Amino acid sequence: MVDEGQPWHLETALRGARERFTPVLMTALLTTLALLPVALHSGQAGQEIAGPMAVVLLGSLVSSTMLSLLLLPGMALRWLRFASVSISEVAS
């Protein structure tokens, strides 16, 4: 947002979260769809390394997606100092 010349405040943070939600979620879903067959067949012969690796990647993908979509915006709203903008300005 700094590149666009906008000050850092609550409205800017919410706009950034809205703009990044769909790309982050779609990337996570498509990667999950690609890794799911490998993870499900991890007990078969020839999958001794790829199967457990896919399970680990799926776990880290879920945790990093939740972190970037839920935890980080909440932490930013809680602890970062924003320029004063009223809630009514953000809602409009």
Side-chain angles (χ1 to χ4, degrees):
M1 299 299 165
V2 175
D3 294 339
E4 296 177 7
Q6 295 183 358
W8 176 249
H9 50 71
L10 181 60
E11 181 183 354
T12 310
L14 293 174
R15 178 180 166 214
R18 279 192 306 266
E19 288 177 1
R20 296 302 306 156
F21 180 77
T22 302
V24 168
L25 195 59
M26 290 304 296
T27 302
L29 286 174
L30 288 175
T31 305
T32 300
L33 286 175
L35 287 173
L36 201 56
V38 178
L40 291 176
H41 298 293
S42 63
Q44 294 181 351
Q47 296 291 330
E48 292 87 4
I49 295 175
M53 181 70 71
V55 172
V56 169
L57 288 172
L58 285 172
S60 64
L61 181 66
V62 168
S63 64
S64 67
T65 301
M66 292 300 137
L67 175 78
S68 64
L69 291 180
L70 301 174
L71 188 62
L72 289 178
M75 289 173 59
L77 290 174
R78 170 75 171 100
W79 284 296
L80 292 181
R81 307 256 186 245
F82 296 108
S84 61
V85 175
S86 70
I87 297 298
S88 61
E89 292 176 20
V90 174
S92 62

